[in-house]
Amino acid sequence: MAAVGDEDNGASDGGECHDLKSILAGDERDFLIHNNGDQVKIANLEGKTVGLYFSASWCPPCRGFTPKLIETYGELSSEGKDFEVVFVSGDRDEDSFNGYFSKMPWLAIPFSDSKARDRLDELFKVRGIPHLVILGARGEVLNEKGVPAVREYGSEGYPFTPEKINKLKEDEEAAKREQTLQTVLVSPSRDYLISNDGNKVSVSELEGKIVCLYFTINGMKPCDEFTLVLGKIYRKLKERGESFEVVMVSLDDEESSFKGGFATMPWLAIPFQDKSCGKLVRYFELRTVPTLVVLGADGKTLHSNIAEVVEEHGEEAWEGFPFSQDKMDMLAEKAKAKLEAQTLESLLVSGELDYVIGKDGVKVPVSELIGKNILLYFSAKWCGPCRAFLPKLVEEYNKIKEKDSAFELVFVSSDRDQNSFEDFFSGMPWLALPFGDERKKTLSRLFKIRGIPSLVAIGPTGKTVTTDARHLLMIHGADAYPFTEERIKELEDQIEEMAKGWPEKLKHELHEEHELVLTRCGEYGCDGCNGLGGKWSYRCTECNFDLHPRCALVENREKGGEEHSEEQGKTKEGYVCDGDVCRKA
């Protein structure tokens, strides 16, 4: 079948009316089936709106979408709408089909009729799943992109025509222009919020207050850590008698997670799996959790997300209340002043924690690092990209140490346990913060570490040189040291001067099909050494092939390269590994 997750990328002839019997029937079959084996004549679908649901049990995006479609189907059925769904399976075997179909309340093409299923794939040009084609009462295609229509609007989007979806979007935009606390938090079936003791609190009681909408997933570590900080801010503002409230908008899948998380929170919440939660996700164009939306006393949106401000300032973020622009500017100035006053001691000393460790846990006082160029290396053994980057970092570290013995690197671990930390650290020739050290959280917040591996360069005065040292190291290697703007500009000027003597075109053994053309470009991956490159590439645009100038021009280059084995590890909770970086989910 189609590719996983490329949902609704197909196209079909919107002007054509399809005869349902012709497209759904088999050679000797004029029926569809329920998951209990009962047969339903295809003729029974005449006059109904029909969704052809292309899906498979092996596809994670499909498994994620199916519950939403089941919910929508149930609501439309209870409202008496003439709507039916036909499952067109892409499962690999009949047992998988039966297990997946057993959860579905609608009809299906029998798994045994692979000819009919393949014909529908071809007819509607299905290139990715989940894919949902909506057919009208006459068999006309109402919407070939039914997945996002159902996912975003549910039964409210019925009959899922582009006109209906556009009307809903226009209504939402109009609602934003006339936004009030009531339009945001009240639904047709609910005009209240709940406290963690089960009491209902009328939304009207929040009128005139600064209200923060807290989008979270309980049990996810970044959200749980944020909840602790937000709780301190909330209590501080309440102690001061400020007119302020927080409303949790839970995105939990399990009620137990919702209840467990909410029990620790002193604020209010929208009830578990209330439909308005999904609407608010769309309304505020949610991109990540935690997200903290600020509504002003008039119910209008003051800030779409101040979670980063809270993460940067910690519990001191309460000083930004009521989060007006002048208060936010004050916080920014405070952060700037703190940055200007930054020293290595302010970064790495916290109470009695005034040391880092070497091998065998030997304590090295932070005072011995003062005046040196330092790299802070945020990494973890469970992170595949970190394991892959480590050999490169060790190589470049040793080169830099040859030039400047005073240079040092400190490993800041995100490992799960002491054993993993020790095992990973054993392959590093530098220093580290002890496992589980509280300074790690402070450093991650200060430097806004969103993905690992990351390298932060600290200069001899203790000031931050760059938070993007990994990128510079990958492009320039040890030559990037000490990672200052002046040094990088010097390297780039050298490259520009060298480029004047490079041939405009060349042939290379790694790409004998076409000539490679010297091209000014942005960042790219070299197909020779697999490293990053920038500014100039020997490129074949036809084949999307790039070589570093040094790889293209050096004769008798060694073929291949040492392969570093990578142990397989489960990605840490709260992170997603994509390419060569593991980022916070």
Side-chain angles (χ1 to χ4, degrees):
M1 200 187 220
V4 184
D6 294 334
E7 53 195 47
D8 288 305
N9 289 328
S12 56
D13 185 0
E16 182 180 356
C17 290
H18 299 281
D19 178 71
L20 290 180
K21 186 172 182 180
S22 297
I23 65 172
L24 298 180
D27 293 338
E28 298 180 357
R29 176 183 56 78
D30 62 353
F31 60 86
L32 302 167
I33 57 172
H34 276 298
N35 56 20
N36 61 1
D38 289 348
Q39 298 179 0
V40 175
K41 294 290 186 181
I42 295 172
N44 290 356
L45 300 184
E46 290 183 8
K48 292 186 176 184
T49 301
V50 175
L52 301 181
Y53 182 38
F54 299 83
S55 183
S57 62
W58 51 261
C59 162
C62 297
R63 297 196 303 271
F65 174 70
T66 296
K68 179 65 177 178
L69 185 57
I70 291 173
E71 176 189 10
T72 301
Y73 179 87
E75 290 174 357
L76 292 174
S77 296
S78 65
E79 294 171 10
K81 296 290 194 295
D82 281 335
F83 179 64
E84 190 52 76
V85 173
V86 178
F87 173 38
V88 186
S89 173
D91 283 300
R92 298 186 176 102
D93 55 69
E94 191 157 11
D95 286 343
S96 298
F97 166 81
N98 289 334
Y100 193 33
F101 185 39
S102 67
K103 304 166 187 171
M104 300 177 181
W106 46 70
L107 304 172
I109 303 285
F111 183 79
S112 58
D113 196 345
S114 59
K115 183 177 178 181
R117 292 186 287 117
D118 291 345
R119 185 176 68 245
L120 287 167
D121 275 359
E122 183 64 28
L123 176 62
F124 293 103
K125 299 180 174 65
V126 179
R127 299 293 179 263
I129 54 174
H131 185 96
L132 182 65
V133 178
I134 308 296
L135 302 179
R138 296 179 293 107
E140 73 278 19
V141 176
L142 299 180
N143 194 343
E144 58 195 15
K145 298 182 181 292
V147 168
V150 170
R151 177 184 288 133
E152 293 181 17
Y153 294 97
S155 59
E156 189 181 355
Y158 182 80
F160 311 111
T161 61
E163 294 77 15
K164 175 67 173 182
I165 301 304
N166 288 336
K167 177 64 166 58
L168 291 172
K169 289 180 179 178
E170 290 170 2
D171 291 346
E172 285 184 349
E173 289 303 314
K176 287 181 181 180
R177 292 190 293 270
E178 304 298 327
Q179 179 178 305
T180 67
L181 194 66
Q182 296 284 326
T183 62
V184 172
L185 292 178
V186 172
S187 70
S189 61
R190 178 188 49 76
D191 62 357
Y192 61 87
L193 302 166
I194 59 172
S195 59
N196 58 15
D197 58 6
N199 290 327
K200 295 180 179 179
V201 177
S202 174
V203 172
S204 61
E205 293 187 23
L206 277 60
E207 293 286 358
K209 294 184 177 183
I210 301 296
V211 176
C212 286
L213 303 182
Y214 177 32
F215 293 84
T216 185
I217 298 175
N218 293 292
M220 179 179 284
K221 188 173 182 180
C223 293
D224 291 347
E225 292 176 349
F226 188 88
T227 296
L228 293 174
V229 177
L230 183 59
K232 294 177 181 178
I233 295 170
Y234 180 87
R235 293 182 180 92
K236 181 70 174 180
L237 292 174
K238 286 295 186 178
E239 288 172 4
R240 291 171 56 87
E242 302 290 0
S243 185
F244 173 67
E245 193 51 73
V246 172
V247 177
M248 178 179 70
V249 185
S250 166
L251 306 182
D252 293 301
D253 290 327
E254 302 293 334
E255 189 169 12
S256 58
S257 296
F258 172 87
K259 289 182 176 179
F262 191 32
T264 68
M265 299 176 182
W267 46 73
L268 305 174
I270 294 174
F272 175 67
Q273 286 196 339
D274 189 282
K275 280 189 176 183
S276 62
C277 293
K279 290 182 179 179
L280 291 173
V281 166
R282 184 175 68 250
Y283 186 85
F284 289 106
E285 300 178 4
L286 195 74
R287 293 290 177 267
T288 186
V289 289
T291 285
L292 195 64
V293 177
V294 182
L295 305 181
D298 60 357
K300 298 287 194 296
T301 303
L302 282 180
H303 301 283
S304 60
N305 188 9
I306 64 165
E308 192 170 285
V309 174
V310 172
E311 289 172 342
E312 180 177 1
H313 294 275
E315 58 187 282
E316 293 180 1
W318 73 266
E319 297 175 4
F321 185 82
F323 310 113
S324 55
Q325 193 56 53
D326 60 329
K327 286 288 190 176
M328 300 301 279
D329 291 342
M330 179 273 293
L331 285 178
E333 284 299 317
K334 187 175 180 179
K336 182 179 178 182
K338 189 175 181 179
L339 192 63
E340 291 173 350
Q342 177 180 298
T343 64
L344 196 64
E345 294 101 316
S346 70
L347 289 176
L348 294 182
V349 175
S350 176
E352 296 182 357
L353 296 172
D354 59 355
Y355 60 88
V356 293
I357 60 172
K359 299 306 176 187
D360 299 321
V362 175
K363 294 181 179 180
V364 178
V366 171
S367 59
E368 293 186 10
L369 304 180
I370 294 173
K372 298 182 178 182
N373 284 295
I374 306 292
L375 283 179
L376 300 178
Y377 176 41
F378 297 82
S379 184
K381 181 184 177 183
W382 55 260
C383 163
C386 296
R387 299 193 302 271
F389 176 61
L390 181 58
K392 169 72 173 176
L393 183 57
V394 170
E395 177 185 355
E396 303 303 332
Y397 170 85
N398 289 330
K399 290 179 182 177
I400 296 173
K401 288 288 279 187
E402 289 178 5
K403 296 190 295 183
D404 181 4
S405 60
F407 162 71
E408 198 47 80
L409 192 151
V410 178
F411 171 40
V412 185
S413 171
S414 292
D415 282 300
R416 296 189 183 97
D417 53 62
Q418 182 76 35
N419 288 338
S420 296
F421 165 79
E422 291 177 357
D423 187 40
F424 202 35
F425 185 41
S426 68
M428 302 176 185
W430 45 72
L431 306 172
L433 290 184
F435 173 73
D437 195 293
E438 65 184 39
R439 290 171 288 179
K440 180 256 180 183
K441 187 182 297 184
T442 303
L443 291 170
S444 295
R445 186 182 72 204
L446 176 64
F447 296 116
K448 300 177 182 177
I449 302 300
R450 297 290 180 265
I452 55 175
S454 286
L455 277 177
V456 176
I458 307 298
T461 64
K463 301 289 191 299
T464 303
V465 174
T466 178
T467 58
D468 200 23
R470 173 179 172 270
H471 175 80
L472 299 176
L473 195 74
M474 291 295 290
I475 291 178
H476 300 292
D479 289 338
Y481 181 79
F483 308 102
T484 59
E485 291 183 6
E486 294 78 12
R487 177 54 181 160
I488 301 308
K489 185 177 187 305
E490 182 183 350
L491 287 173
E492 291 176 348
D493 289 344
Q494 290 176 5
I495 292 172
E496 289 297 314
E497 189 63 31
M498 292 169 59
K500 296 176 182 178
W502 293 338
E504 292 185 8
K505 297 181 180 180
L506 56 77
K507 294 283 288 185
H508 197 279
E509 62 182 5
L510 292 179
H511 192 74
E512 297 179 346
E513 299 92 325
H514 307 102
E515 277 191 318
L516 301 178
V517 179
L518 182 62
T519 305
R520 185 185 291 275
C521 59
E523 184 180 311
Y524 63 89
C526 175
D527 291 294
C529 66
N530 295 320
L532 286 179
K535 297 295 183 181
W536 292 100
S537 165
Y538 276 99
R539 172 170 292 178
C540 174
T541 55
E542 185 175 345
C543 302
N544 194 26
F545 183 91
D546 287 283
L547 282 183
H548 284 142
R550 64 175 177 267
C551 293
L553 298 173
V554 174
E555 296 182 358
N556 299 321
R557 63 183 298 278
E558 295 182 6
K559 294 183 180 179
E562 182 181 359
E563 294 184 359
H564 301 274
S565 63
E566 294 185 5
E567 61 170 291
Q568 297 298 313
K570 182 181 178 183
T571 300
K572 186 178 180 182
E573 179 187 10
Y575 282 79
V576 174
C577 293
D578 179 17
D580 63 350
V581 175
C582 290
R583 302 190 185 282
K584 285 187 177 181

